[in-house]
Amino acid sequence: MTTHKLATSVQALQSSAIRELLKHSKMPGVISLGGGIPNPELFDHEGLKLASEAVLSHHFGEAFQYGLSEGFPELREAIQQISAERGIQCKADDVVVTSGSQQSLDILARALINPGDTVVVERPTYLAALQVFSLAQANIESVGTDGDGMKVDELEALVANKTIKAVYIVPTFGNPGGVTLSESRRKQLVELSKRYDFVIIEDDPYSEINYTDDVFRPLMAHAKAIGNEQNVVYTSTFSKILSPGTRVGWVIVPEWLKRAVVNLKQTTDLHTSTLSQLMTSEYLKTGRLPAQIKMIREVYRQKYQTFSQELEAELGDIMTFHKPKGGMFLWAKMNNGINTTAWLEKTLSNGVVYVPGEFFYCNEPDHSTLRMSFVTATEEQLKEAVRRLKISL
């Protein structure tokens, strides 16, 4: 073995449990509740075809050429408009286009974190964010969540006694818990950030997948209201509302951070695929995105309702779960003491796979939890998945 030749930070890096589980989900007859991927049947075939034809007809040379590290100017202007609709006032110059929001997190971690700096996350939190912060050699600490999102009181007790560099949070329909940070806690969080001078990394892949008429103001908007916008970074993506394969995301950064982000982008991949950026830009010009988002919301909402009703009817005596207001995930807890990692072997033998909850914790995992994604299976498959879970007990 020659692993000693690897960098220390890489030696400690673990493979994504979700990516490993995807191998099982491809087995014949297996119903996957595991991968956090959008439903490919809902991709806008006609719209993406129109966008592709427009690129090849009008931007051929540009589409296959190098581009600006910050991103294609027209796309950045379109993202500025999307951000304004979400409640974020920014300039197109504040936007940096990335190869998906996962790259945004990687770049931000490298721009902000020194080895040993403390980053606080929710418990549970997004698995790939834990990987990014571990690679940056951060000291990762966590605070609990409930139905109103991160327990900001716990965070306040922590920062009162310890210096932290950043808080990472998915405040709206989070992955994996599906919880949404309440408005009062959003205000409390940005006020804490101002008082103790730490950065908030706001990760927002899911807010458009809203099953309600409620409006959830981004943390960046709350921060601007109290003059703390210099401490909030916002990242989002087209992966869940258009296509993950194009790998187009973005990050909105304050002026003091932008040069470092752009420089790191240059060292990583020079720029996000020009072809993908132009396709996305041309798609947005068609005006089809609002209807696309509305369709996704309705289809996912119906799947969620079917799945949650089936779970309550068949497993309600031993399983409790958070009822999300949007997003793609249902976070559950087994009340019978089952270790969901061990249980997975049995459910897999019965043809259903999920993600054990322990992988979403930086410490003190709850082994009785699990994350289930309901968006790619059909409603009949969701009913059958619940039946298979039940017979696996």
Side-chain angles (χ1 to χ4, degrees), residues 107-245:
I107 289 174
L108 290 170
R110 288 190 285 152
L112 294 169
I113 298 167
N114 294 310
D117 281 348
T118 296
V119 176
V120 180
V121 300
E122 301 164 280
R123 187 170 61 247
T125 193
Y126 175 45
L127 169 60
L130 291 177
Q131 291 178 303
V132 165
F133 297 134
S134 295
L135 187 61
Q137 298 180 304
N139 169 43
I140 307 173
E141 299 203 18
S142 62
V143 297
T145 57
D146 59 19
D148 287 322
M150 175 184 277
K151 296 178 179 178
V152 183
D153 285 344
E154 282 189 20
L155 175 66
E156 185 165 7
L158 191 157
V159 298
N161 296 292
K162 184 168 190 173
T163 299
I164 70 169
K165 177 61 72 72
V167 167
Y168 167 77
I169 186 169
V170 187
T172 309
F173 320 138
N175 178 4
V179 296
T180 297
L181 192 67
S182 67
E183 288 297 295
S184 62
R185 290 188 185 179
R186 288 175 190 239
K187 293 176 183 177
Q188 184 184 2
L189 177 57
V190 297
E191 287 166 358
L192 274 182
S193 166
K194 185 175 184 179
R195 191 188 323 158
Y196 290 98
D197 196 27
F198 60 80
V199 175
I200 298 171
I201 301 172
E202 178 179 10
D203 193 3
D204 184 26
Y206 307 107
S207 65
E208 297 284 9
I209 309 174
N210 190 345
Y211 303 157
T212 74
D213 294 325
D214 297 341
V215 176
F216 305 102
R217 291 181 70 207
L219 296 172
M220 184 167 269
H222 283 287
K224 189 173 183 64
I226 65 168
N228 190 39
E229 60 267 39
Q230 293 299 309
N231 272 343
V232 181
V233 181
Y234 177 89
T235 181
S236 191
T237 179
F238 289 105
S239 291
K240 307 303 187 294
I241 56 176
L242 182 57
S243 159

Side-chain angles (χ1 to χ4, degrees), residues 12 51 122 173 181 199 207 252 258 267 270 329 337 348:
E122 301 164 280
F173 320 138
L181 192 67
V199 175
S207 65
I252 300 173
K258 183 184 174 186
T267 67
L270 298 183
F329 305 107
L348 186 58

